[in-house]
Amino acid sequence: MTVSRRRVLGMTGAGVALAGAGVAAGVGIDRFGQDAPAHAATDLVGFHGEHQAGIVTPTQENLHFAALDVTTKDRAKLAKLLHTWTDAARRMTAGQEVTPGGAVSGAAAAPPGDTGEALDLPASSLTLTIGFGPSLFDGRFGLAGKRPAALVDLPVFPKDKLDPARSGGDLCIQACANDPQVAVHAVRNLVRLGFGVTEVRWSQLGFGRSSSTSRTQMTPRNLFGFKDGTNNVKAEDADLVRDQVWATEADGQRWMAGGSYLVARRIRMHIETWDRETLQGQEQIIGRTKGTGAPLGQAQEFDQVDLHVRGEGGVPAVAEDAHIRLASSETLNGAKILRRGYNFVDGSDGVGHLEAGLFFIAFNRDPRKQFIPMQNALSSKDAMMEYVQHTGSAIFAVPPGVREGGYWGDGLF
Amino acid sequence: MTVSRRRVLGMTGAGVALAGAGVAAGVGIDRFGQDAPAHAATDLVGFHGEHQAGIVTPTQENLHFAALDVTTKDRAKLAKLLHTWTDAARRMTAGQEVTPGGAVSGAAAAPPGDTGEALDLPASSLTLTIGFGPSLFDGRFGLAGKRPAALVDLPVFPKDKLDPARSGGDLCIQACANDPQVAVHAVRNLVRLGFGVTEVRWSQLGFGRSSSTSRTQMTPRNLFGFKDGTNNVKAEDADLVRDQVWATEADGQRWMAGGSYLVARRIRMHIETWDRETLQGQEQIIGRTKGTGAPLGQAQEFDQVDLHVRGEGGVPAVAEDAHIRLASSETLNGAKILRRGYNFVDGSDGVGHLEAGLFFIAFNRDPRKQFIPMQNALSSKDAMMEYVQHTGSAIFAVPPGVREGGYWGDGLF
């Protein structure tokens, strides 16, 4: 049974939350007895907790990511908006309209409380995750003293070709769901609630979860056709998650304990050039076989990468400039990241090609020790750099999870 | 059971086709025993037939549409590419790689025969539909005498604000599937096979099937939050499909018998302005209630629209400038269209808003009698025009279906 938003509306109070929480995953048959979208599983991901959802949550199929700028200088307005957003996120992640009956009722003279395009759709495992960019800690809101040391301005990496219109942002909203319409609806409604306080700086849709956050998921493929992210931190790696994903009070800013740092990179892939490379060449560049995803020199995808294996003539199985060697924790003093990237195609590039690539999202406890050294190694030496171009970049401090009655960033404001 | 592309590879010859044809819809468990994407139903849509698939086929969840220009003047090369494309499409719509084992084997010195990103994914109801733009019938390929009269250059409609970079094209590929990665993979591989003969002019991703082509489907919602396309032609309307979708030999060009004409319009929606309109105002503009989708003055979505019903004070229930009145076949001499549109969000517009809208696709037998009069009525009088802007436009002659052993457009070349 699907509990659609409108059906939920027929229930009240605690019954709503219970009905929501009790829904099992499944393919929906809507209340009209017609086939609902086959992908619209009714999973609900809980909103409250020590950490925000949408980080170690098993990666959903679709992404809508938006970076916003704050247009007011009024700190109280900003704090109020975060409160409003939290209330809306609580409801939307439970498969409900932003306000009860908001899309289809309300005062004749008032705009609807919900935009309506997700009315017939289940929650679809929607998670909403927000973050604060370095620019939020400039002078405007009296937050300069609360900027975490780990929230550095990212350096310009070798070969970066960043578009300012696709970079930065005071705030970010990451919406992940198994239905793109549900993710878009969520971002659009938060943006709508922000009128007069925030505006969209840039926004990115993604599909095909180009990396998985859980060992319960098949490793998906990026637009180079390779399984991607096999060796990154997974939700089940309890020690790694504790040590390399979550910030602690000891890291500096108390309000960030239980939070994490999100790095977003829009990576254009030159798929046309890649597609002219031989299979062997592609595998050398990645360091894995294309079919199974096994590291070169090994048999299975999850076999331990051995950077010392040599093949014919003593040549290293995994080349010196192979992607998995340079990104390996072995060469990075044990540093790892948790990845939650998505593939994208944004129309065409105007000169005959698809504008395709990877919207890379990493969560890490301290980018200075994790993402930055990794990206420095990759952008200076990775053979793959010939086929990619980093066109957008941003970093956000992702505050800890929200408790019942709390709101996003209540430890900061 | 999911028949993934790689599993299919283990079978040969006729067995492959049979295995493919016998697969029932379902949620996939891949061969690793892990959960495959929940939305990746294994449906297969047959490729061969009197008409191309992807027209009356029940609308899939995701769209990748690409318009291409032909860069050669060599007619034989173009005809050969259409042959190559057909072979690839036969395989991809059956859930197979472009060439047997193409993604994971092949000569050391040759690029892979398939790009690989759909390797672990089922066919996902993929359909591939191609069309020929008016410009293909200029002098280059000796086709001028074969241009159908119905393949008119679309007029400039009132309030059009078309971007040439999002309009026109010698050829189009419409890929629809229940997994965006499968649709993207298909377009990308056809584009790859066209290197040296064609290049991408523009490309558009869409989601949320903003209209349904079959009465077996729930009517989806556009980004105005309304059920859209309720009254358009559906696959089950046999007489309407025959009379208003399929071209016949009597219409002029014999090679188009069993084909149709595809009109694509990229319609930017000013969702921020829309979201400030009252519910009542929105419903007046559309002519339907937002909740159920019932025509104003009626009770249920599929109740007959009655343009003569009057409410309080003798005011028409459906306003004179309401969208459904102007688009009604009653006011258009019986003309209807079959719609296959999708919602889109293409990043942001650079001035603080989401770049959101509707990628409208209509199939009709003769745009001169169907789409053009409809759009003329809408763009000059529709109250909705205040909230939308047509930014891209194209028309294509969609040839009939392919028989076993035939190829796309073999009646034309």
Side-chain angles (χ1 to χ4, degrees):
Chain A
M1 183 191 83
T2 294
V3 175
S4 75
R5 272 146 231 256
R6 310 227 9 253
R7 181 171 261 158
V8 167
L9 287 177
M11 312 170 186
T12 49
V16 173
L18 285 172
V23 173
V27 173
I29 302 294
D30 81 315
R31 67 197 184 108
F32 303 100
Q34 297 167 311
D35 70 314
H39 68 187
T42 54
D43 315 54
L44 294 178
V45 179
F47 180 75
H48 298 104
E50 186 182 354
H51 311 292
Q52 287 194 65
I55 302 173
V56 296
T57 308
T59 319
Q60 301 94 322
E61 286 293 317
N62 303 281
L63 169 77
H64 189 186
F65 193 98
L68 300 101
D69 286 329
V70 181
T71 53
T72 181
K73 289 185 180 171
D74 184 334
R75 175 184 168 127
K77 275 190 184 164
L78 175 57
K80 189 180 169 201
L81 175 63
L82 288 167
H83 210 128
T84 304
W85 274 2
T86 309
D87 289 340
R90 273 192 185 99
R91 291 189 52 88
M92 290 193 288
T93 56
Q96 301 167 342
E97 291 162 283
V98 171
T99 57
V104 297
S105 64
D114 182 288
T115 58
E117 67 270 25
L119 261 184
D120 316 306
L121 306 174
S124 309
S125 296
L126 173 69
T127 55
L128 289 163
T129 315
I130 67 143
F132 304 132
S135 51
L136 197 73
F137 300 86
D138 60 16
R140 287 173 292 166
F141 309 105
L143 298 172
K146 298 217 173 165
R147 178 172 172 173
L151 184 66
V152 292
D153 294 303
L154 289 177
V156 177
F157 297 100
K159 298 182 189 153
D160 269 5
K161 197 169 177 180
L162 304 180
D163 177 355
R166 295 187 190 276
S167 300
D170 291 335
L171 302 168
C172 75
I173 304 166
Q174 174 197 274
C176 297
N178 287 325
D179 186 327
Q181 182 123 338
V182 169
V184 163
H185 169 265
V187 169
R188 184 252 191 102
N189 276 274
L190 296 186
V191 168
R192 177 179 62 82
L193 293 169
F195 283 158
V197 181
T198 58
E199 62 178 33
V200 176
R201 182 177 174 89
W202 52 271
S203 134
Q204 180 73 50
L205 257 64
F207 61 85
R209 51 173 197 206
S210 88
S211 42
S212 57
T213 51
S214 166
R215 295 194 193 283
T216 63
Q217 302 183 301
M218 177 172 62
T219 308
R221 294 178 185 272
N222 62 28
L223 293 182
F224 285 155
F226 277 75
K227 286 179 174 281
D228 201 353
T230 299
N231 263 352
N232 294 131
V233 177
K234 301 288 190 265
E236 292 79 11
D237 306 330
D239 290 356
L240 285 174
V241 169
R242 182 197 58 214
D243 294 343
Q244 305 222 25
V245 177
W246 304 128
T248 68
E249 192 169 341
D251 291 342
Q253 291 290 351
R254 188 172 159 195
W255 68 270
M256 270 297 287
S260 190
Y261 296 89
L262 183 161
V263 175
R265 304 282 290 182
R266 185 178 182 278
I267 306 174
R268 168 85 193 274
M269 289 172 158
H270 296 299
I271 57 174
E272 298 79 9
T273 324
W274 181 258
D275 288 347
R276 290 192 195 100
E277 182 58 79
T278 64
L279 178 64
Q280 215 172 29
Q282 292 180 1
E283 292 180 338
Q284 290 289 322
I285 291 163
I286 304 290
R288 292 185 180 274
T289 58
K290 199 164 189 176
T292 63
L296 294 181
Q298 312 295 333
Q300 300 291 336
E301 181 193 356
F302 288 98
D303 286 351
Q304 182 70 37
V305 175
D306 184 342
L307 299 177
H308 312 290
V309 173
R310 290 175 182 272
E312 274 180 63
V315 178
V318 176
E320 295 295 340
D321 58 358
H323 184 76
I324 66 162
R325 178 185 290 272
L326 296 163
S328 161
S329 60
E330 191 180 331
T331 62
L332 293 167
N333 295 317
K336 291 202 167 208
I337 54 173
L338 181 139
R339 273 182 57 186
R340 181 176 265 276
Y342 287 86
N343 301 325
F344 70 79
V345 176
D346 290 344
S348 61
D349 68 358
V351 291
H353 309 125
L354 296 173
E355 173 84 22
L358 173 72
F359 189 72
F360 169 99
I361 298 176
F363 289 92
N364 52 174
R365 178 177 174 181
D366 190 338
R368 294 169 299 180
K369 298 177 187 164
Q370 296 166 267
F371 173 75
I372 292 173
M374 186 178 296
Q375 187 52 34
N376 264 324
L378 291 172
S379 55
S380 55
K381 294 181 209 151
D382 188 357
M384 196 200 282
M385 286 305 290
E386 196 181 325
Y387 302 89
V388 300
Q389 198 161 62
H390 288 237
T391 58
S393 179
I395 185 171
F396 301 95
V398 172
V402 177
R403 64 184 191 289
E404 301 266 353
Y407 68 94
W408 272 324
D410 51 10
L412 174 62
F413 285 90
Chain B
M1 187 189 84
T2 293
V3 175
S4 76
R5 272 146 234 257
R6 312 229 6 255
R7 182 172 260 160
V8 166
L9 286 176
M11 312 171 187
T12 49
V16 174
L18 286 173
V23 174
V27 172
I29 301 296
D30 83 315
R31 66 200 183 105
F32 303 99
Q34 297 167 310
D35 69 316
H39 69 184
T42 54
D43 314 55
L44 294 178
V45 180
F47 180 74
H48 298 104
E50 186 183 353
H51 312 292
Q52 287 193 67
I55 302 174
V56 296
T57 308
T59 318
Q60 300 93 323
E61 285 294 316
N62 303 280
L63 168 79
H64 188 186
F65 193 99
L68 299 101
D69 285 330
V70 182
T71 53
T72 180
K73 289 185 178 170
D74 185 333
R75 176 184 168 128
K77 276 191 184 160
L78 175 57
K80 189 180 168 201
L81 176 62
L82 288 166
H83 210 129
T84 305
W85 274 3
T86 309
D87 289 340
R90 271 191 187 100
R91 290 188 53 86
M92 291 193 288
T93 55
Q96 301 165 344
E97 291 162 285
V98 170
T99 56
V104 297
S105 65
D114 183 288
T115 58
E117 68 269 25
L119 261 183
D120 315 306
L121 306 174
S124 309
S125 297
L126 174 68
T127 55
L128 289 163
T129 314
I130 67 141
F132 304 132
S135 50
L136 197 74
F137 299 87
D138 60 14
R140 288 173 293 167
F141 309 106
L143 297 173
K146 296 215 174 167
R147 177 172 173 174
L151 186 64
V152 292
D153 294 303
L154 289 176
V156 177
F157 297 100
K159 298 183 190 154
D160 269 5
K161 197 169 177 179
L162 304 180
D163 177 355
R166 294 187 190 274
S167 301
D170 291 336
L171 301 167
C172 76
I173 303 166
Q174 174 196 275
C176 297
N178 288 325
D179 187 326
Q181 183 123 334
V182 170
V184 163
H185 169 264
V187 167
R188 183 253 191 102
N189 276 274
L190 297 185
V191 167
R192 178 180 62 81
L193 293 169
F195 283 158
V197 182
T198 58
E199 61 177 34
V200 176
R201 182 177 173 88
W202 53 270
S203 133
Q204 179 73 50
L205 258 62
F207 61 86
R209 53 173 197 204
S210 88
S211 42
S212 57
T213 53
S214 166
R215 295 193 193 284
T216 63
Q217 303 182 299
M218 178 172 61
T219 307
R221 293 178 186 272
N222 61 28
L223 293 183
F224 285 155
F226 277 76
K227 287 179 174 281
D228 201 353
T230 300
N231 263 352
N232 294 133
V233 177
K234 301 287 189 267
E236 292 79 11
D237 306 329
D239 291 355
L240 285 174
V241 169
R242 181 195 61 213
D243 295 342
Q244 305 223 23
V245 177
W246 304 127
T248 68
E249 194 169 337
D251 291 342
Q253 291 289 351
R254 191 172 157 190
W255 68 269
M256 270 296 288
S260 190
Y261 296 89
L262 184 162
V263 176
R265 305 280 292 182
R266 185 179 183 278
I267 305 174
R268 167 87 193 275
M269 288 172 159
H270 296 300
I271 56 174
E272 298 80 8
T273 324
W274 181 260
D275 288 347
R276 291 193 195 100
E277 181 59 77
T278 63
L279 178 64
Q280 212 172 29
Q282 291 181 357
E283 292 182 336
Q284 288 290 321
I285 290 164
I286 304 292
R288 292 186 181 274
T289 57
K290 198 165 190 176
T292 63
L296 295 181
Q298 313 294 334
Q300 300 291 335
E301 181 193 356
F302 287 99
D303 286 351
Q304 182 69 38
V305 175
D306 184 342
L307 300 177
H308 310 291
V309 173
R310 290 175 182 272
E312 273 181 64
V315 178
V318 177
E320 294 297 340
D321 58 356
H323 184 75
I324 66 161
R325 176 185 291 272
L326 296 164
S328 160
S329 60
E330 191 182 330
T331 62
L332 292 167
N333 295 316
K336 291 202 167 207
I337 54 173
L338 182 140
R339 273 184 56 185
R340 180 175 266 277
Y342 287 87
N343 302 324
F344 71 79
V345 175
D346 290 345
S348 60
D349 67 359
V351 290
H353 310 124
L354 297 174
E355 173 83 22
L358 172 72
F359 189 72
F360 169 98
I361 296 177
F363 289 94
N364 50 173
R365 179 178 174 182
D366 190 338
R368 294 170 298 179
K369 297 176 186 163
Q370 294 166 266
F371 173 75
I372 293 173
M374 187 179 292
Q375 188 53 36
N376 263 324
L378 291 173
S379 55
S380 55
K381 293 180 210 153
D382 189 356
M384 196 199 282
M385 288 303 292
E386 194 181 328
Y387 302 90
V388 300
Q389 197 159 63
H390 288 239
T391 58
S393 178
I395 184 170
F396 300 95
V398 173
V402 178
R403 64 185 190 287
E404 302 266 354
Y407 68 93
W408 271 325
D410 51 10
L412 174 61
F413 284 90

